[in-house]
C-alpha cells in the first residue's frame, strides 16, 4: 500500500468567496517514484484547545464552552471544526493543493465561540485524513489512504479575524427563532424604525428606563423565552 504524508504549510482568508472561507495549503508526499493518478480525500479538522495557553479575558470567554479554569483538566476536550472533501489531481512524488473550508460566524457553533474568545496567538488544529488513492504505472489500482494520516497546524488568530471582517465588518451575528424574528419585525414596523440596529437599541433603551417588573411577571409585548433557552427549567 502506498504511503502518504500530509503537511499544512499555510492558511489564508479567501476574499472572493460568497461566505466566510479559509483556504489551507496542503503538501502531499507519496512514496518515491509512485505514480498517483488522483486522490479522493476526506479531511476532518479538530481544534485541540489543550495545546495552548489562555489569558484571563480568554478564559472568561471560554467559560461557556469549558467551564471554570479549575475544571479544564477534564473539560478541555477537542472541538470539531470542519469536515471537507478534496480531489487532488495526479502527481508523482509530491504535490500541493488547496483545502477550502467554508466557515460560519454563528456563535451557537462551538468552534466559532472558541475562535471568537481568542484575542491573539494561534489556534492548534489537527487534520485527520482518509480517502481513496488511484495509483499505478500501467492502468491503475485502487487503495485506501491509511486512517492514521494526520497533520498538525497552528493557525494564526488574525487570519480568522480577517476572514470575519471581510464578510461582517464591525458586526456580530445573532441567530433567532422565526417567531422571535416575527415579533421583532412587527415591533420595527409598528414604530417605523429604519434598521435592525436601531430596533434593538430602542428595546434596550426602553428596558433601561422601565420600572423593573415584580418577580415572575411578564411585561405586555415582551419577547417570551422558549423551552430551548437557558431560562427553561
Amino acid at each position: 500500500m502506498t504511503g502518504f504524508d500530509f503537511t499544512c504549510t499555510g492558511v489564508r482568508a479567501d476574499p472572493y468567496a460568497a461566505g466566510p472561507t479559509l483556504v489551507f495549503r496542503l503538501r502531499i508526499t507519496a512514496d518515491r517514484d509512485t505514480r498517483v493518478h488522483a486522490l479522493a480525500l476526506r479531511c476532518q479538522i479538530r481544534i485541540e484547545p489543550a495545546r495552548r495557553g489562555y489569558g484571563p479575558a480568554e478564559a472568561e470567554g471560554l467559560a461557556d464552552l469549558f467551564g471554570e479554569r479549575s475544571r479544564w483538566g477534564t473539560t478541555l476536550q477537542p472541538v470539531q471544526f470542519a469536515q471537507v472533501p478534496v480531489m487532488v489531481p495526479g502527481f508523482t512524488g509530491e504535490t500541493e493543493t488547496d483545502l477550502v473550508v467554508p466557515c460560519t460566524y454563528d456563535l451557537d457553533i462551538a468552534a466559532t465561540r472558541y475562535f471568537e474568545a481568542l484575542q491573539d496567538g494561534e489556534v492548534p488544529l489537527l487534520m485527520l485524513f482518509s480517502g481513496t488513492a488511484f495509483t499505478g504505472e500501467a492502468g491503475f489500482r485502487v487503495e485506501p489512504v491509511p486512517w492514521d494520516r494526520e497533520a498538525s497546524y497552528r493557525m494564526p488568530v488574525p487570519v480568522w479575524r480577517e476572514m470575519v471582517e471581510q464578510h461582517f465588518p464591525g458586526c456580530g451575528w445573532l441567530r433567532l427563532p422565526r417567531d422571535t424574528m416575527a415579533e421583532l419585525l412587527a415591533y420595527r414596523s409598528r414604530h417605523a424604525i429604519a434598521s435592525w440596529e436601531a430596533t434593538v437599541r430602542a428595546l434596550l433603551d426602553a428596558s433601561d428606563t422601565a420600572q423593573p417588573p415584580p418577580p415572575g411577571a411578564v411585561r405586555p409585548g415582551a419577547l417570551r423565552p422558549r423551552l430551548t433557552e437557558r431560562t427553561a427549567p
Side-chain angles (χ1 to χ4, degrees):
M1 190 166 60
T2 304
F4 292 96
D5 289 312
F6 299 88
T7 305
C8 182
T9 61
V11 63
R12 70 181 189 277
D14 188 347
Y16 306 110
T21 302
L22 293 173
V23 181
F24 293 88
R25 191 66 176 171
L26 289 181
R27 179 182 298 132
I28 305 171
T29 305
D31 290 341
R32 188 174 181 180
D33 299 329
T34 297
R35 174 62 178 163
V36 179
H37 298 288
L39 272 177
L41 286 178
R42 294 182 297 274
C43 179
Q44 179 187 154
I45 307 178
R46 296 191 322 206
I47 302 168
E48 302 278 297
R51 291 170 50 202
R52 63 158 283 167
Y54 303 92
E58 293 174 328
E60 183 178 348
L62 292 170
D64 189 34
L65 284 178
F66 305 121
E68 298 298 324
R69 192 190 284 268
S70 60
R71 300 176 51 211
W72 283 9
T74 56
T75 62
L76 216 61
Q77 299 298 319
V79 176
Q80 177 76 6
F81 174 30
Q83 188 160 338
V84 292
V86 58
M87 284 297 302
V88 182
F91 65 95
T92 300
E94 183 178 285
T95 189
E96 291 195 1
T97 191
D98 286 338
L99 180 67
V100 179
V101 180
C103 302
T104 177
Y105 196 34
D106 184 350
L107 293 177
D108 284 342
I109 304 300
T112 305
R113 294 210 305 277
Y114 178 85
F115 291 133
E116 188 64 18
L118 302 185
Q119 297 184 339
D120 209 344
E122 298 171 330
V123 180
L125 300 176
L126 181 64
M127 299 179 173
L128 306 170
F129 296 95
S130 61
T132 304
F134 302 89
T135 63
E137 291 296 335
F140 67 86
R141 64 178 181 270
V142 179
E143 52 185 296
V145 175
W147 281 85
D148 61 351
R149 300 296 87 184
E150 60 184 44
S152 297
Y153 183 69
R154 302 186 74 87
M155 182 181 75
V157 172
V159 175
W160 170 268
R161 299 204 174 278
E162 176 189 353
M163 179 197 70
V164 171
E165 283 298 309
Q166 288 173 355
H167 294 274
F168 306 101
C171 298
W173 197 96
L174 183 65
R175 183 176 66 177
L176 296 172
R178 287 192 183 92
D179 51 352
T180 302
M181 284 297 301
E183 292 181 58
L184 283 173
L185 180 58
Y187 177 89
R188 177 178 172 179
S189 299
R190 285 197 306 271
H191 297 274
I193 302 176
S195 68
W196 287 115
E197 179 183 0
T199 302
V200 174
R201 176 54 56 191
L203 288 168
L204 291 174
D205 291 344
S207 68
D208 287 340
T209 58
Q211 292 293 327
V218 177
R219 292 183 290 106
L223 299 178
R224 292 170 171 78
R226 272 148 201 84
L227 293 179
T228 56
E229 297 179 356
R230 292 181 181 273
T231 49

